[in-house]
Amino acid sequence: MQSQRLPTLEDVARVAGVSRATVSRVVNGIRNVDPQLHQQVWAAVDQTGYVPNRMARSLVTRRTGTVALVVSDSETHDDDPFMGRFFSDPYFGRVVGGLMSVLRPLGVQLALQMVGADGHKRLVGDLRNGQADGAVVLSLPARDPLPGLLADAGIPAVLIGRPAEPVPISYVDLDNEAGAALAADRLATRGCRRPVMISGPPDVPASVDRISGFRRAMARHGHAWIPQETGNFTQDSGEQSMRALLAAHPRLDAVFVANDLMALGALLVLHDAGRRVPEDVAVVGFDDSSAALSARPALTTVRHPLEDMAAEAARMLLSRLDDPDERVTSVIYEPTLVERQTA
Amino acid sequence: MQSQRLPTLEDVARVAGVSRATVSRVVNGIRNVDPQLHQQVWAAVDQTGYVPNRMARSLVTRRTGTVALVVSDSETHDDDPFMGRFFSDPYFGRVVGGLMSVLRPLGVQLALQMVGADGHKRLVGDLRNGQADGAVVLSLPARDPLPGLLADAGIPAVLIGRPAEPVPISYVDLDNEAGAALAADRLATRGCRRPVMISGPPDVPASVDRISGFRRAMARHGHAWIPQETGNFTQDSGEQSMRALLAAHPRLDAVFVANDLMALGALLVLHDAGRRVPEDVAVVGFDDSSAALSARPALTTVRHPLEDMAAEAARMLLSRLDDPDERVTSVIYEPTLVERQTA
DNA sequence: ACACGATGGGAAAACGCTCTCCAAGCGTGT
DNA sequence: ACACGCTTGGAGAGCGTTTTCCCATCGTGT
């Protein structure tokens, strides 16, 4: 029965015995309408089962009631079917959950947008033409041109994670330096003698900050020299890095790993190498993703309140939509250490 | 500069020196247009930077170019901020990835829709009014009224996972019985003597099938009696179930766990209890989620090709949108066993 | 030459809504 | 009693497309 015409404003107006304009006013709760009519109109709405047509409304208001979650990975090509399997990373789900928690109560839609190396221009075009009112951008690669393009196009947007290059767009981020320092302090407090670290890619801001934060804090504890291997945030790279570190520095007794997934890999390698965690080697991860809990032993890690951050990003975007001239701002979250068994 | 009016069909027409109708025809690649004009029009499009206005188009075509991914969890209330943290389950990401792989190349948007216990009616209303052309439904709880409502409303939809009650809607599913049988065969082949199982909730179809599939296959191997604990697919419930099983049947030597997350929990408990896996106890999970790989030892599990299934669901939905009278169909995927270290 | 089917392009009517005018109705202050 | 302001509701003009007619124009077969 879907083909039967859906009731329109016109229909409701006829039933209620008023004009379209009045119905529109009532439905949108605008202006003082005589309580009597108000009543009649709602009755007519119920009776007809009327639901406003989104497109028609958007066409005139120039608002879609949709925001896009843009996952930008300009290092992946558009024809990679699963976009580098990013989706199975718990990261993605946490962001979606956080966004939803503020969007859904407000009746705002969330539209998913992937964009690889090629799609930037098209994305911007689509966004300008009513795909969405604004975008929350998850920028994976280091130097992503997307934020710049969005800013130029004047598309309301909020980034999750500080952009690599300064750009006039608001963002939420974590104080990665402080997080890494937390890890360093923990490790130092346990009395480690030979700390090492497994870092993320050297060109993404979060990664850079974690490195410098860890080094700086360790320096304060008297550790001037921290051997380091570079991974790419996958479990596999964590394993490789740990193996390399173990080979080069057999007597290491503490390792800071720049995210939980890599930490998981490191734990595996450590176990295989017969090192006891945390007795022989202490390990601290980063993110407090679901992976941390399933680790064996349970991973001590730096909590990254991604859900909250995503929720805040949504709020910032919404408020910018209300007032486009709002100042560009940033909100930085403070990480905390969650102590489990590995350190 | 976003406030400046975007170019419309009208503008392009003026530049190209033709009528709106012609531009529309060219842009949509419809009918034979004189190659000469065709050329002019595209030039004008480039020059003006024209992008069709989605809303205006949808308004007349009655097509949105959007499909909704509806996550239905009628057991969660609408005010639960994170909808039971479902999003951090790798399950969700895999589905999104699969859907995207077919939707994105076609330029079809994916809109996320959560719906708890209260929102069914509203969702159906929204869907009918151009939120989306159709829906892919991920139905979490056992007896979800949503599929029925969608069918009644005549909204094109495809389910991921067989519905608990028969409903005239197409779906994709996994042959869960066969998957469980695979696990049973594996365990039996290794020569286990006292197999047990940790199942999912007894009212969701996938769970029921895994239980019966496992029992039936084990029966064929001569194991008439399989102790069982019931979990709810979370790691935590896996731990509890494993503990209970261990207490009640200390000599168990094989366990089939109805999903990887619970298997992870089981592995932890087994380890703490000093049982060696797989020497003392063999373990087989289900799903082949990312968790399986990070398990220690790496989890032998039944592969659930969720990405492929989601992709197929997207294709089915798309084809139904093209031809609404298409027959209701189902596609059942065959699971495979991926052998790693736990069995 | 003439009629006749293609074929290509334009005018204009929707699509369902919002919102700006206006006109009426009413109360109030002088 | 009159003018004036304020509230309330209606008419109607868009918003940017698609698509249905319909009119030229052109080539073709007799």
Side-chain angles (χ1 to χ4, degrees):
Chain A
M1 297 303 98
Q2 67 154 326
S3 56
Q4 81 188 356
R5 212 174 54 75
L6 265 42
T8 73
L9 252 202
E10 187 81 50
D11 300 322
V12 178
R14 197 169 328 108
V15 171
V18 296
S19 74
R20 286 206 312 285
T22 304
V23 178
S24 172
R25 282 192 276 257
V26 170
V27 170
N28 297 307
I30 290 179
R31 259 213 345 211
N32 337 349
V33 176
D34 185 296
Q36 158 71 2
L37 282 191
H38 193 272
Q39 175 66 16
Q40 281 178 40
V41 170
W42 278 119
V45 167
D46 277 352
Q47 182 187 328
T48 54
Y50 169 75
V51 180
N53 180 307
R54 199 159 217 229
M55 261 75 69
R57 181 179 293 190
S58 294
L59 184 55
V60 31
T61 58
R62 270 102 220 300
R63 282 288 224 105
T64 61
T66 296
V67 316
L69 170 58
V70 178
V71 179
S72 170
D73 184 358
S74 41
E75 281 166 11
T76 304
H77 254 262
D78 274 358
D79 46 7
D80 177 340
F82 297 125
M83 294 294 281
R85 309 219 159 246
F86 167 65
F87 290 118
S88 50
D89 192 312
Y91 199 88
F92 172 68
R94 293 180 66 189
V95 169
V96 171
L99 292 176
M100 273 307 202
S101 72
V102 0
L103 261 23
R104 206 167 61 104
L106 270 46
V108 177
Q109 283 244 0
L110 182 63
L112 244 45
Q113 291 277 5
M114 315 267 55
V115 38
D118 337 350
H120 291 305
K121 274 196 64 176
R122 181 168 147 213
L123 176 76
V124 170
D126 284 355
L127 247 28
R128 286 180 61 133
N129 276 274
Q131 294 275 22
D133 298 330
V136 172
V137 180
L138 216 48
S139 208
L140 272 27
R143 12 188 36 77
D144 189 348
L146 186 60
L149 292 176
L150 291 176
D152 290 348
I155 295 173
V158 174
L159 310 181
I160 296 188
R162 170 163 69 87
E165 298 160 23
V167 137
I169 297 190
S170 299
Y171 64 89
V172 300
D173 202 359
L174 182 75
D175 188 340
N176 285 288
E177 288 232 6
L182 247 30
D185 293 347
R186 173 65 171 190
L187 259 15
T189 304
R190 296 184 96 258
C192 73
R193 314 286 327 169
R194 296 184 185 72
V196 303
M197 87 179 277
I198 299 177
S199 77
D203 48 359
V204 349
S207 196
V208 172
D209 293 353
R210 290 176 197 180
I211 295 173
S212 66
F214 188 72
R215 288 193 178 289
R216 202 163 351 227
M218 271 306 186
R220 278 196 298 270
H221 291 289
H223 297 283
W225 156 237
I226 313 281
Q228 167 185 347
E229 276 292 321
T230 301
N232 65 358
F233 287 145
T234 64
Q235 177 173 342
D236 196 55
S237 75
E239 296 184 22
Q240 288 174 23
S241 301
M242 191 69 247
R243 255 190 293 271
L245 249 12
L246 235 25
H249 313 275
R251 303 182 56 202
L252 61 85
D253 62 357
V255 34
F256 168 57
V257 192
N259 81 335
D260 288 350
L261 233 46
M262 291 197 296
L264 234 50
L267 247 25
L268 259 46
V269 170
L270 251 15
H271 179 98
D272 290 349
R275 309 293 179 108
R276 291 170 308 160
V277 176
E279 296 80 357
D280 302 334
V281 181
V283 177
V284 177
F286 207 113
D287 277 351
D288 193 24
S289 74
S290 56
L293 255 179
S294 9
R296 164 95 301 204
L299 188 65
T300 292
T301 186
V302 177
R303 170 149 183 77
H304 187 166
L306 244 194
E307 287 90 350
D308 298 339
M309 290 169 58
E312 179 60 24
R315 272 187 292 267
M316 286 167 71
L317 181 57
L318 257 22
S319 106
R320 162 159 305 263
L321 291 179
D322 277 345
D323 173 15
D325 299 323
E326 199 172 59
R327 219 166 69 75
V328 169
T329 61
S330 57
V331 175
I332 310 295
Y333 280 71
E334 283 308 316
T336 52
L337 187 73
V338 359
E339 315 189 4
R340 283 196 270 257
Q341 302 164 5
T342 60
Chain B
M1 296 301 99
Q2 67 153 328
S3 56
Q4 83 189 353
R5 212 173 54 76
L6 264 43
T8 73
L9 253 202
E10 186 81 49
D11 300 322
V12 178
R14 198 172 324 109
V15 171
V18 297
S19 74
R20 288 206 309 283
T22 303
V23 178
S24 172
R25 283 193 274 259
V26 170
V27 170
N28 296 307
I30 291 180
R31 270 232 311 231
N32 336 349
V33 176
D34 186 296
Q36 158 71 6
L37 283 191
H38 193 273
Q39 176 67 16
Q40 283 178 36
V41 170
W42 277 120
V45 167
D46 276 353
Q47 182 188 326
T48 53
Y50 169 75
V51 179
N53 181 308
R54 200 160 214 226
M55 261 76 68
R57 179 178 288 185
S58 294
L59 184 55
V60 35
T61 58
R62 272 100 219 299
R63 284 286 226 108
T64 60
T66 296
V67 316
L69 170 57
V70 178
V71 178
S72 169
D73 184 357
S74 42
E75 280 166 12
T76 304
H77 253 262
D78 273 0
D79 47 7
D80 177 341
F82 297 123
M83 292 295 279
R85 309 219 160 247
F86 167 66
F87 290 118
S88 49
D89 192 310
Y91 198 89
F92 172 69
R94 293 180 66 189
V95 169
V96 171
L99 292 175
M100 273 307 204
S101 71
V102 0
L103 261 23
R104 205 167 61 104
L106 270 46
V108 177
Q109 283 244 3
L110 183 63
L112 244 46
Q113 291 277 5
M114 315 266 56
V115 37
D118 336 349
H120 291 304
K121 274 197 65 175
R122 181 168 148 212
L123 176 76
V124 170
D126 285 354
L127 248 28
R128 286 181 63 133
N129 277 275
Q131 294 275 21
D133 298 331
V136 172
V137 180
L138 216 48
S139 208
L140 273 28
R143 12 187 38 72
D144 190 349
L146 186 60
L149 292 175
L150 291 175
D152 290 348
I155 296 172
V158 174
L159 309 180
I160 295 188
R162 169 163 70 86
E165 297 160 23
V167 138
I169 298 191
S170 298
Y171 64 88
V172 300
D173 202 358
L174 182 75
D175 187 340
N176 286 289
E177 287 232 7
L182 247 31
D185 292 347
R186 173 64 171 191
L187 259 14
T189 304
R190 297 185 95 256
C192 73
R193 313 288 324 172
R194 297 185 185 72
V196 303
M197 89 178 278
I198 299 177
S199 77
D203 48 359
V204 351
S207 196
V208 172
D209 293 353
R210 290 177 196 179
I211 295 173
S212 65
F214 188 72
R215 289 194 178 288
R216 202 161 353 226
M218 271 307 185
R220 279 197 296 271
H221 291 288
H223 296 282
W225 157 237
I226 313 281
Q228 166 186 348
E229 277 291 321
T230 301
N232 65 357
F233 287 144
T234 64
Q235 177 173 342
D236 197 54
S237 75
E239 297 184 22
Q240 289 174 23
S241 301
M242 192 68 246
R243 254 190 294 271
L245 250 11
L246 235 25
H249 312 276
R251 304 182 56 202
L252 61 86
D253 62 357
V255 32
F256 168 57
V257 192
N259 82 334
D260 288 352
L261 233 47
M262 290 196 297
L264 235 52
L267 246 26
L268 259 46
V269 170
L270 250 14
H271 178 98
D272 291 348
R275 309 294 178 107
R276 292 170 308 159
V277 175
E279 295 82 355
D280 302 334
V281 180
V283 177
V284 176
F286 206 113
D287 278 352
D288 193 24
S289 73
S290 56
L293 255 178
S294 7
R296 164 94 302 204
L299 188 66
T300 293
T301 187
V302 176
R303 171 148 182 79
H304 187 166
L306 244 194
E307 287 90 348
D308 298 340
M309 290 169 57
E312 178 60 24
R315 273 187 291 266
M316 286 167 69
L317 181 58
L318 256 24
S319 105
R320 162 160 305 264
L321 291 179
D322 278 346
D323 173 14
D325 300 322
E326 200 172 59
R327 218 165 69 74
V328 170
T329 61
S330 57
V331 176
I332 310 294
Y333 280 72
E334 282 309 315
T336 52
L337 187 74
V338 358
E339 315 190 2
R340 282 195 270 256
Q341 301 164 7
T342 59

